C-alpha cells in the first residue's frame, strides 16, 4: 500500500527548497516531471505553503516545517495518511492552528488518516475513532467520547487520565429509578443502573474530575443529584483560569481530584483545610469491569 508518513520530528532538508522537499519522494520514484509539478503544487496548496515554495524550510516556523512534512506526505497521493505525534514539536498556539488546518484537510481528503498521540485533546478534536493501546495490546476502541466516558477496565481508565478510582461494594439496585447504589464513602452513592453485580460485590469504580461539582457561580446552589458530599480541601493548584483541587471525603480509599474555575474557587474562598459542599454526578460515576479481555 502507498502510505504517507508525517513524523514526530519535521524531517525536512535545509539544503532543499520547500518545493524540492515536497517533490523529493516523487523524484526518487521516477514520476514524470509534469506530474511532479502538478502533485507538488496541489500538496502545497492544501497546506497553505504555495507562497513559500521557493524559500528554505529554515525560514519557516515550526508549524511551517510541519506543514512541509505534511505536504510531502500528501504529494505521494497516499492510500492512508499516518501521523506520528505530528504536533509534539510545536508550541501550543501553533498546535491549535494546525488542529484547525488538519481538521479541515481531513474533510477534503478522501483517505483514512491514522494519528498516534498521547494528547487526549487531539484525539477528541480530530478523531472519529479512538484505539487505546497499552504494552502492545488493544484495551478498547470506539468513538472518542464513548471511550472517554466508559472505559472498559481500570487500565483503560488510567490510560485516559482518570485519577479518581476507588474501592467500593454494591448496596442494591433500583431498576425503577435506573440506579445502582454503591457504598464507597461516607454514604451510598447512586450511579447509572448496572445490575450485573449482585449486592455485596466488591468493585472498583471511577468518577471523572468534571463529575465532581461545586456550587454554581451564578445561582450559589449545588447541582441536583443523589450524591451530596462534604469535602475537605487538601491542596489547590492554580493553572491559568482554572484550579486543580485535591480533596478528602471520609470513607474513600484515596484522594478525590476535581477541577473548578478560578473565579468559583475565589468566590467560595477555597483553600487547604477548608470544607466545601459538592455533588458527585451519578452520570459520571462508572463501575469498572474487572480484567476485561483485550479487544482484537
Amino acid at each position: 500500500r502507498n502510505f504517507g508518513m508525517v513524523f514526530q520530528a519535521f524531517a525536512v532538508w535545509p539544503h532543499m527548497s520547500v518545493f524540492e522537499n515536497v517533490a523529493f519522494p516523487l523524484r526518487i520514484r521516477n514520476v514524470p516531471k509534469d506530474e511532479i509539478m502538478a502533485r507538488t503544487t496541489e500538496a502545497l496548496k492544501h497546506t497553505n505553503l504555495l507562497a513559500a515554495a521557493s524559500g528554505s524550510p529554515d525560514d519557516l516556523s515550526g508549524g511551517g516545517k510541519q506543514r512541509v512534512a505534511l505536504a510531502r506526505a500528501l504529494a505521494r497521493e497516499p492510500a492512508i495518511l499516518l501521523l506520528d505525534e505530528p504536533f509534539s514539536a510545536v508550541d501550543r498556539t501553533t498546535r491549535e492552528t494546525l488542529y484547525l488546518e488538519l481538521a479541515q484537510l481531513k474533510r477534503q481528503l478522501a483517505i483514512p488518516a491514522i494519528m498516534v498521540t498521547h494528547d487526549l485533546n487531539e484525539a477528541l478534536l480530530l478523531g472519529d475513532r479512538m484505539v487505546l493501546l497499552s504494552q502492545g495490546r488493544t484495551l478498547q476502541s470506539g468513538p472518542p467520547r464513548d471511550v472517554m466516558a466508559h472505559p472498559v477496565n481500570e487500565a483503560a481508565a488510567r490510560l485516559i487520565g482518570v485519577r479518581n478510582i476507588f474501592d467500593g461494594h454494591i448496596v442494591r439496585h433500583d431498576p425503577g429509578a435506573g440506579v445502582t447504589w454503591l457504598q464507597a464513602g461516607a454514604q451510598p452513592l447512586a450511579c447509572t443502573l448496572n445490575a450485573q453485580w449482585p449486592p455485596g460485590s466488591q468493585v472498583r469504580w471511577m468518577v471523572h474530575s468534571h463529575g465532581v461539582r461545586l456550587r454554581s457561580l451564578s445561582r450559589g446552589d449545588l447541582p441536583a443529584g443523589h450524591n451530596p458530599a462534604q469535602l475537605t480541601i487538601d491542596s489547590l493548584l492554580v493553572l491559568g483560569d482554572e484550579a486543580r483541587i485535591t480533596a478528602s471525603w471520609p470513607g474513600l480509599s484515596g484522594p478525590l481530584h476535581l477541577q473548578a474555575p478560578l473565579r468559583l474557587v475565589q468566590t467560595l474562598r477555597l483553600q487547604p483545610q477548608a470544607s466545601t459542599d459538592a455533588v458527585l454526578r451519578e452520570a459520571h460515576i462508572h463501575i469498572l469491569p474487572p480484567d476485561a479481555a483485550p479487544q482484537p
Side-chain angles (χ1 to χ4, degrees):
R1 298 296 296 272
N2 180 16
F3 294 97
M5 187 75 186
V6 180
F7 296 97
Q8 190 171 356
F10 306 130
V12 296
W13 296 289
H15 64 285
M16 295 182 182
S17 70
V18 169
F19 187 96
E20 290 167 339
N21 267 276
V22 175
F24 182 77
L26 306 180
R27 295 190 193 283
I28 62 174
R29 295 170 65 190
N30 296 316
V31 174
K33 289 184 178 180
D34 289 348
E35 188 175 346
I36 290 175
M37 176 64 71
R39 286 166 60 173
T40 301
T41 301
E42 186 66 17
L44 291 169
K45 285 180 180 178
H46 272 307
T47 51
N48 300 314
L49 284 170
L50 201 55
S54 61
S56 167
D58 281 349
D59 296 332
L60 300 175
S61 65
K65 291 175 182 176
Q66 194 60 289
R67 289 187 187 93
V68 174
L70 179 57
R72 184 172 54 204
L74 294 177
R76 293 169 56 96
E77 296 183 348
I80 300 176
L81 183 62
L82 305 177
L83 303 108
D84 180 14
E85 297 194 61
F87 309 118
S88 60
V90 297
D91 60 80
R92 174 172 296 196
T93 301
T94 302
R95 192 178 307 148
E96 291 176 354
T97 300
L98 291 173
Y99 288 161
L100 295 174
E101 292 180 359
L102 185 57
Q104 182 179 10
L105 186 61
K106 192 179 72 168
R107 290 192 294 269
Q108 296 172 357
L109 300 174
I111 59 171
I114 299 173
M115 183 173 71
V116 177
T117 180
H118 289 89
D119 190 316
L120 293 171
N121 288 326
E122 290 180 5
L124 288 170
L125 282 168
L126 299 170
D128 300 307
R129 188 172 184 85
M130 176 191 287
V131 179
L132 297 181
L133 298 174
S134 177
Q135 298 180 348
R137 63 177 187 151
T138 299
L139 295 180
Q140 187 174 355
S141 64
R145 297 198 180 278
D146 288 353
V147 172
M148 295 290 288
H150 302 290
V152 294
N153 59 9
E154 185 170 340
R158 294 195 181 280
L159 198 59
I160 63 173
V162 176
R163 302 179 69 186
N164 293 326
I165 301 177
F166 307 105
D167 296 316
H169 68 267
I170 304 297
V171 177
R172 68 182 187 276
H173 304 293
D174 185 351
V179 167
T180 289
W181 289 91
L182 176 72
Q183 186 69 45
Q187 64 194 49
L189 293 174
C191 63
T192 302
L193 181 66
N194 199 326
Q196 72 180 91
W197 289 279
S201 298
Q202 297 294 317
V203 295
R204 295 280 277 172
W205 63 278
M206 55 159 275
V207 59
H208 286 286
S209 59
H210 56 265
V212 184
R213 304 293 295 275
L214 303 177
R215 292 186 178 276
S216 166
L217 188 60
S218 59
R219 299 188 306 273
D221 58 358
L222 287 169
H226 290 100
N227 304 320
Q230 179 96 31
L231 306 180
T232 300
I233 305 300
D234 295 328
S235 65
L236 192 151
L237 177 64
V238 176
L239 296 172
D241 295 330
E242 187 177 74
R244 295 185 182 178
I245 301 168
T246 303
S248 300
W249 190 35
L252 282 190
S253 56
L256 189 66
H257 300 271
L258 60 147
Q259 297 171 203
L262 181 57
R263 284 182 60 210
L264 178 59
V265 169
Q266 294 169 336
T267 300
L268 297 178
R269 298 181 180 179
L270 298 184
Q271 58 185 343
Q273 307 308 314
S275 294
T276 188
D277 295 325
V279 165
L280 278 64
R281 304 302 297 270
E282 61 188 73
H284 296 285
I285 296 175
H286 180 53
I287 298 173
L288 295 166
D291 302 321
Q295 296 183 10

